[in-house]
Amino acid sequence: MADLGAIKNNCRKILTDKLDNVGEDDDGDFFLTHESTVIWVSVKDATFADQEVGRVSVFAHVVQELPKIHPDLALELLTSRAYLWGRWSCHKRDDKLYNLMFSIDMIGSTLDAVELINAVSVVATVANDDDDDIVKKYGGKVMLS
């Protein structure tokens, strides 16, 4: 198994050395805010090429409480430039609404500062730049007002 503690400590050091307002929740995930969004950094088990390497996920809830996944929205997300760096996903909630997320996953055991900070920057930029437009066209709410 990958040393998740070492990967998490590496993430903590990079994030707190390079960025302001970094917090850590009770589950050990890191978070920071950027305008209308919250960016999360999570460390989990992962296997790559039959080796335990750990996975670092950087993600944001771009829109919450989206009423439905409109086909035009799906097409916009699949053809957006952001798709080149990360992935969009929708998660159905218990109340039948959706949360729209953008994320980037990286191999934890080889993660360096440039890679992590660039991922945080891309996720923050995509989430903050796209959230208001999506809410205006398709409904839902931004993460932070």
Side-chain angles (χ1 to χ4, degrees):
M1 179 170 17
D3 187 348
L4 298 183
I7 294 169
K8 191 169 286 199
N9 286 337
N10 183 40
C11 289
R12 182 181 295 109
K13 180 171 179 12
I14 293 167
L15 293 169
T16 57
D17 284 354
K18 303 288 185 187
L19 302 169
D20 295 328
N21 74 341
V22 176
E24 191 168 345
D25 68 12
D26 293 339
D27 295 329
D29 293 333
F30 305 101
F31 62 90
L32 59 139
T33 60
H34 175 71
E35 297 183 25
S36 63
T37 196
V38 177
I39 300 93
W40 295 91
V41 178
S42 178
V43 176
K44 303 287 185 216
D45 282 322
T47 303
F48 180 75
D50 295 327
Q51 292 185 6
E52 295 290 329
V53 295
R55 178 184 73 217
V56 175
S57 297
V58 179
F59 61 93
H61 290 97
V62 180
V63 176
Q64 299 184 107
E65 300 179 23
L66 194 61
K68 68 177 190 172
I69 307 305
H70 194 280
D72 291 344
L73 172 59
L75 183 61
E76 283 181 39
L77 298 177
L78 288 174
T79 58
S80 74
R81 288 176 291 143
Y83 190 69
L84 299 173
W85 295 285
R87 68 182 164 92
W88 290 99
S89 59
C90 291
H91 301 274
K92 193 170 189 175
R93 302 159 34 126
D94 291 338
D95 59 5
K96 308 285 191 235
L97 299 173
Y98 296 86
N99 287 343
L100 177 64
M101 299 174 64
F102 184 74
S103 62
I104 296 174
D105 292 334
M106 298 161 289
I107 294 175
S109 60
T110 59
L111 185 70
D112 64 25
V114 171
E115 186 178 17
L116 179 56
I117 297 304
N118 283 343
V120 169
S121 177
V122 167
V123 169
T125 300
V126 168
N128 193 63
D129 286 357
D130 290 356
D131 59 0
D132 291 323
D133 290 338
I134 293 169
V135 167
K136 201 176 294 180
K137 287 181 182 177
Y138 304 104
K141 297 179 183 176
V142 298
M143 187 71 176
L144 299 174
S145 297

